[in-house]
Amino acid sequence: MTKVFLDGMIKRKRGHIIGISSMSGMYAFPWGVVYSATKFAVSGFMASLTEQLRIQGLSKSVRTTCVNPYYVTTRKDVIEFLQKPRFFPVPVQQLVRDYLIREYELNNNLHMAALSQFGYDGQRDGSTPAGYWAAG
């Protein structure tokens, strides 16, 4: 569609092309692989078009804007949300703590005070599976 209108805008030396993408076009979100891929494509298309117009010296007469709304709730979204798992199997705080602890144990480059905020006192808890520590 852009190609249909772009030539007229260039001839008139006036125009504005607006692409509607999404935050999914900037950051990948789970359960939205195809949606995220299409929004990445819109964002890439708009970035390429903007650069092309700039190189051609047309960016002041033909402007471009890529809009990236965060989240718009639709009936379909509500239904899909209710059909999906709502809880991450491992709490995010535990994942962060485990990562920091592994870094500390492997590289000794993290300060213990930072680790203590995630419940790590320097001792592994023998009652938890290997690789996990008790929450503080």
Side-chain angles (χ1 to χ4, degrees), residues 84-101:
K84 291 183 178 128
R86 288 196 191 96
F87 301 101
F88 196 74
V90 178
V92 173
Q93 181 180 1
Q94 183 176 343
L95 291 174
V96 171
R97 185 189 69 234
D98 291 351
Y99 171 78
L100 292 173
I101 291 167

Side-chain angles (χ1 to χ4, degrees), residues 3 34-35 51 56 59 64 66 76 79 87 102 114 128 130:
K3 187 173 173 98
V34 173
Y35 182 79
E51 186 63 13
Q56 293 174 325
S59 61
T64 60
C66 187
K76 179 179 179 261
I79 291 168
F87 301 101
R102 279 193 299 277
T128 57

Side-chain angles (χ1 to χ4, degrees), residues 2 35 46 69-71 73 78 87-88 91 96 101 113 118 128 133:
T2 301
Y35 182 79
M46 292 303 293
Y70 175 65
Y71 186 78
T73 303
V78 172
F87 301 101
F88 196 74
V96 171
I101 291 167
F118 291 95
T128 57
W133 294 264

Side-chain angles (χ1 to χ4, degrees), residues 65-85:
T65 301
C66 187
V67 179
N68 297 292
Y70 175 65
Y71 186 78
V72 178
T73 303
T74 64
R75 184 171 185 258
K76 179 179 179 261
D77 292 327
V78 172
I79 291 168
E80 286 180 0
F81 173 77
L82 293 173
Q83 293 172 342
K84 291 183 178 128

